[in-house]
Amino acid sequence: VDGVHFRIFEPRGDPGAHWYDHKSNSAGVSYEIGVAIRSSRIVWVNGPFPASRHDLTTFRGGKKKEAKDQSALQFKLKKGQRAVGDSGYQGEPDKITTVRDGHSAELKKWLSRVKARHETINTRLKFYKILEHRFRHGFKNHQMAMEAVCVAVQYDMEHGQALFEV
């Protein structure tokens, strides 16, 4: 699981610092994307959220003192299931595996390959110009564009452009 950011024009009806994306130094949105480890499948898309929202907050379904969104990934994982995440997901060791000092070199290498494989999905999403450039068709339409691109990327993976094996 990983978060991916896309640039947008700041919504006029809701201006504020919460749209600030530190990666692009402009307004943006983020999505939480989940990819199956053993197959070339996008299995989870959650968003859009203002870009300033932390990946772990999205995973948990909100901040500690907020009512939790029960459709968040944290509540979708069954007992015993875990996701693999980058350092932005530290803090949920029962739900997400991140690289730790105590891990063997072999496990660290495997986790790095899993995360690198996921980054290829993020890159493939940005191959589509509608998501690569600043989206100017409104916050609400961004989700529709993102879902359409995810379907196209998934179709491509199923018909000749599979992800590399871990």
Side-chain angles (χ1 to χ4, degrees):
V1 67
D2 193 18
V4 60
H5 291 225
F6 300 99
R7 294 180 303 153
I8 64 167
F9 284 104
E10 186 172 18
R12 288 183 182 181
D14 184 24
H18 57 283
W19 296 107
Y20 180 72
D21 177 13
H22 67 280
K23 294 180 180 183
S24 65
N25 198 29
S26 66
V29 294
S30 67
Y31 288 84
E32 183 179 54
I33 309 291
V35 178
I37 293 173
R38 301 279 183 213
S39 64
S40 295
R41 302 272 320 153
I42 298 172
V43 295
W44 180 257
V45 178
N46 190 16
F49 300 102
S52 65
R53 185 170 173 161
H54 195 276
D55 290 347
L56 193 55
T57 303
T58 301
F59 175 78
R60 290 176 175 161
K63 295 182 180 178
K64 287 184 180 182
K65 296 180 182 179
E66 293 178 351
K68 302 294 184 197
D69 177 5
Q70 296 298 309
S71 66
L73 185 56
Q74 172 182 341
F75 302 107
K76 300 294 182 184
L77 293 176
K78 297 174 186 166
K79 187 171 181 147
Q81 282 186 324
R82 286 183 175 210
V84 173
D86 59 18
S87 61
Y89 287 94
Q90 289 180 349
E92 288 291 340
D94 295 338
K95 299 277 186 176
I96 299 182
T97 300
T98 58
V99 176
R100 296 198 177 94
D101 291 335
H103 288 157
S104 68
E106 184 179 336
L107 178 59
K108 286 181 181 179
K109 183 177 179 181
W110 184 80
L111 290 172
S112 293
R113 284 186 56 81
V114 169
K115 293 185 297 182
R117 187 173 179 263
H118 196 296
E119 290 298 330
T120 62
I121 292 288
N122 296 349
T123 301
R124 288 181 186 195
L125 294 172
K126 292 182 179 184
F127 279 159
Y128 291 81
K129 299 297 182 195
I130 195 165
L131 296 179
E132 179 188 23
H133 296 293
R134 188 179 311 277
F135 191 80
R136 61 183 199 183
H137 306 290
F139 177 72
K140 293 181 181 182
N141 289 330
H142 197 280
Q143 182 178 8
M144 179 179 56
M146 174 64 168
E147 289 173 357
V149 168
C150 284
V151 168
V153 168
Q154 183 62 51
Y155 181 85
D156 192 38
M157 288 188 298
E158 291 174 3
H159 295 91
Q161 297 297 322
L163 298 173
F164 61 88
E165 297 293 323
V166 291

mmCIF file of all heavy atoms in Angstrom, residues 9 12 14 30 41-42 45 49 55 79 82 93 118 137 145 152 166:
data_model
loop_
_atom_site.group_PDB
_atom_site.id
_atom_site.type_symbol
_atom_site.label_atom_id
_atom_site.label_comp_id
_atom_site.label_asym_id
_atom_site.label_seq_id
_atom_site.Cartn_x
_atom_site.Cartn_y
_atom_site.Cartn_z
ATOM 1 N N PHE A 9 -5.572 22.348 -9.404
ATOM 2 C CA PHE A 9 -5.766 23.745 -9.070
ATOM 3 C C PHE A 9 -6.509 23.777 -7.741
ATOM 4 O O PHE A 9 -7.441 23.005 -7.526
ATOM 5 C CB PHE A 9 -6.567 24.473 -10.148
ATOM 6 C CG PHE A 9 -5.756 24.779 -11.374
ATOM 7 C CD1 PHE A 9 -5.922 24.031 -12.529
ATOM 8 C CD2 PHE A 9 -4.829 25.798 -11.366
ATOM 9 C CE1 PHE A 9 -5.177 24.301 -13.656
ATOM 10 C CE2 PHE A 9 -4.073 26.081 -12.499
ATOM 11 C CZ PHE A 9 -4.249 25.331 -13.643
ATOM 12 N N ARG A 12 -11.673 26.598 -5.499
ATOM 13 C CA ARG A 12 -12.086 27.943 -5.113
ATOM 14 C C ARG A 12 -13.018 27.949 -3.908
ATOM 15 O O ARG A 12 -12.980 28.847 -3.092
ATOM 16 C CB ARG A 12 -12.795 28.638 -6.276
ATOM 17 C CG ARG A 12 -11.867 29.019 -7.379
ATOM 18 C CD ARG A 12 -12.619 29.768 -8.444
ATOM 19 N NE ARG A 12 -11.716 30.098 -9.532
ATOM 20 C CZ ARG A 12 -12.091 30.758 -10.591
ATOM 21 N NH1 ARG A 12 -13.333 31.156 -10.730
ATOM 22 N NH2 ARG A 12 -11.215 31.029 -11.539
ATOM 23 N N ASP A 14 -12.976 25.988 -1.404
ATOM 24 C CA ASP A 14 -12.346 25.486 -0.182
ATOM 25 C C ASP A 14 -10.843 25.758 -0.205
ATOM 26 O O ASP A 14 -10.033 24.841 -0.159
ATOM 27 C CB ASP A 14 -12.620 23.985 -0.049
ATOM 28 C CG ASP A 14 -12.083 23.396 1.241
ATOM 29 O OD1 ASP A 14 -11.909 24.142 2.225
ATOM 30 O OD2 ASP A 14 -11.823 22.174 1.263
ATOM 31 N N SER A 30 -4.273 13.361 -2.859
ATOM 32 C CA SER A 30 -3.580 12.088 -2.705
ATOM 33 C C SER A 30 -4.595 10.950 -2.726
ATOM 34 O O SER A 30 -5.768 11.137 -2.414
ATOM 35 C CB SER A 30 -2.783 12.054 -1.397
ATOM 36 O OG SER A 30 -3.640 12.064 -0.288
ATOM 37 N N ARG A 41 -2.209 -6.915 -9.850
ATOM 38 C CA ARG A 41 -3.588 -6.471 -9.643
ATOM 39 C C ARG A 41 -3.614 -5.250 -8.731
ATOM 40 O O ARG A 41 -3.031 -5.267 -7.649
ATOM 41 C CB ARG A 41 -4.430 -7.555 -8.975
ATOM 42 C CG ARG A 41 -4.517 -8.864 -9.683
ATOM 43 C CD ARG A 41 -5.582 -9.035 -10.690
ATOM 44 N NE ARG A 41 -6.863 -8.450 -10.318
ATOM 45 C CZ ARG A 41 -7.741 -8.034 -11.207
ATOM 46 N NH1 ARG A 41 -7.481 -8.128 -12.496
ATOM 47 N NH2 ARG A 41 -8.883 -7.533 -10.838
ATOM 48 N N ILE A 42 -4.312 -4.216 -9.174
ATOM 49 C CA ILE A 42 -4.627 -3.093 -8.295
ATOM 50 C C ILE A 42 -5.840 -3.542 -7.495
ATOM 51 O O ILE A 42 -6.891 -3.819 -8.066
ATOM 52 C CB ILE A 42 -4.941 -1.817 -9.095
ATOM 53 C CG1 ILE A 42 -3.728 -1.395 -9.922
ATOM 54 C CG2 ILE A 42 -5.380 -0.693 -8.159
ATOM 55 C CD1 ILE A 42 -4.011 -0.265 -10.894
ATOM 56 N N VAL A 45 -8.151 1.306 -4.140
ATOM 57 C CA VAL A 45 -7.991 2.719 -4.488
ATOM 58 C C VAL A 45 -8.892 3.503 -3.548
ATOM 59 O O VAL A 45 -10.097 3.252 -3.485
ATOM 60 C CB VAL A 45 -8.384 3.014 -5.958
ATOM 61 C CG1 VAL A 45 -8.245 4.494 -6.257
ATOM 62 C CG2 VAL A 45 -7.543 2.194 -6.915
ATOM 63 N N PHE A 49 -8.041 12.696 -1.387
ATOM 64 C CA PHE A 49 -7.933 13.429 -0.144
ATOM 65 C C PHE A 49 -7.041 14.633 -0.371
ATOM 66 O O PHE A 49 -6.193 14.610 -1.268
ATOM 67 C CB PHE A 49 -7.311 12.546 0.952
ATOM 68 C CG PHE A 49 -8.105 11.312 1.235
ATOM 69 C CD1 PHE A 49 -7.715 10.089 0.734
ATOM 70 C CD2 PHE A 49 -9.253 11.373 2.010
ATOM 71 C CE1 PHE A 49 -8.453 8.941 0.992
ATOM 72 C CE2 PHE A 49 -10.000 10.235 2.275
ATOM 73 C CZ PHE A 49 -9.600 9.019 1.764
ATOM 74 N N ASP A 55 -0.325 9.612 4.929
ATOM 75 C CA ASP A 55 -0.689 8.267 4.473
ATOM 76 C C ASP A 55 -1.284 7.426 5.599
ATOM 77 O O ASP A 55 -2.260 6.702 5.399
ATOM 78 C CB ASP A 55 0.532 7.540 3.897
ATOM 79 C CG ASP A 55 0.999 8.110 2.574
ATOM 80 O OD1 ASP A 55 0.256 8.901 1.966
ATOM 81 O OD2 ASP A 55 2.105 7.748 2.139
ATOM 82 N N LYS A 79 -8.270 -10.282 10.149
ATOM 83 C CA LYS A 79 -7.323 -10.632 11.199
ATOM 84 C C LYS A 79 -6.214 -11.509 10.605
ATOM 85 O O LYS A 79 -6.487 -12.481 9.909
ATOM 86 C CB LYS A 79 -8.035 -11.368 12.320
ATOM 87 C CG LYS A 79 -7.145 -11.617 13.507
ATOM 88 C CD LYS A 79 -7.909 -12.159 14.684
ATOM 89 C CE LYS A 79 -6.936 -12.338 15.830
ATOM 90 N NZ LYS A 79 -7.543 -12.118 17.099
ATOM 91 N N ARG A 82 -1.809 -8.554 6.454
ATOM 92 C CA ARG A 82 -0.949 -7.387 6.565
ATOM 93 C C ARG A 82 -0.674 -6.819 5.186
ATOM 94 O O ARG A 82 -0.674 -7.535 4.200
ATOM 95 C CB ARG A 82 0.396 -7.746 7.183
ATOM 96 C CG ARG A 82 0.334 -8.001 8.639
ATOM 97 C CD ARG A 82 1.724 -8.260 9.137
ATOM 98 N NE ARG A 82 1.678 -8.401 10.565
ATOM 99 C CZ ARG A 82 2.656 -8.078 11.350
ATOM 100 N NH1 ARG A 82 3.776 -7.609 10.848
ATOM 101 N NH2 ARG A 82 2.552 -8.233 12.650
ATOM 102 N N PRO A 93 2.076 -1.619 13.351
ATOM 103 C CA PRO A 93 2.842 -2.848 13.111
ATOM 104 C C PRO A 93 1.995 -4.116 13.014
ATOM 105 O O PRO A 93 2.446 -5.108 12.450
ATOM 106 C CB PRO A 93 3.796 -2.917 14.310
ATOM 107 C CG PRO A 93 3.147 -2.091 15.363
ATOM 108 C CD PRO A 93 2.376 -1.017 14.643
ATOM 109 N N HIS A 118 5.484 -1.481 -6.433
ATOM 110 C CA HIS A 118 4.337 -0.594 -6.243
ATOM 111 C C HIS A 118 4.610 0.775 -6.862
ATOM 112 O O HIS A 118 3.712 1.386 -7.447
ATOM 113 C CB HIS A 118 4.027 -0.444 -4.751
ATOM 114 C CG HIS A 118 2.679 0.121 -4.492
ATOM 115 N ND1 HIS A 118 2.318 1.391 -4.871
ATOM 116 C CD2 HIS A 118 1.597 -0.408 -3.902
ATOM 117 C CE1 HIS A 118 1.069 1.612 -4.514
ATOM 118 N NE2 HIS A 118 0.612 0.530 -3.928
ATOM 119 N N HIS A 137 -10.171 20.198 -13.908
ATOM 120 C CA HIS A 137 -11.583 19.954 -14.153
ATOM 121 C C HIS A 137 -12.390 19.769 -12.868
ATOM 122 O O HIS A 137 -13.466 19.192 -12.894
ATOM 123 C CB HIS A 137 -11.752 18.735 -15.061
ATOM 124 C CG HIS A 137 -10.977 18.864 -16.325
ATOM 125 N ND1 HIS A 137 -11.318 19.748 -17.317
ATOM 126 C CD2 HIS A 137 -9.851 18.241 -16.733
ATOM 127 C CE1 HIS A 137 -10.432 19.654 -18.303
ATOM 128 N NE2 HIS A 137 -9.539 18.753 -17.970
ATOM 129 N N ALA A 145 -11.571 10.492 -13.172
ATOM 130 C CA ALA A 145 -10.414 10.356 -14.053
ATOM 131 C C ALA A 145 -9.428 9.332 -13.495
ATOM 132 O O ALA A 145 -8.896 8.490 -14.234
ATOM 133 C CB ALA A 145 -9.735 11.710 -14.238
ATOM 134 N N ALA A 152 -7.528 1.394 -17.016
ATOM 135 C CA ALA A 152 -6.652 1.277 -18.186
ATOM 136 C C ALA A 152 -5.313 0.638 -17.814
ATOM 137 O O ALA A 152 -4.803 -0.225 -18.543
ATOM 138 C CB ALA A 152 -6.434 2.648 -18.815
ATOM 139 N N VAL A 166 8.177 -10.583 -7.591
ATOM 140 C CA VAL A 166 8.921 -10.377 -6.344
ATOM 141 C C VAL A 166 9.261 -11.728 -5.818
ATOM 142 O O VAL A 166 9.839 -12.199 -5.093
ATOM 143 C CB VAL A 166 8.162 -9.539 -5.301
ATOM 144 C CG1 VAL A 166 8.055 -8.110 -5.798
ATOM 145 C CG2 VAL A 166 6.828 -10.125 -4.988
#
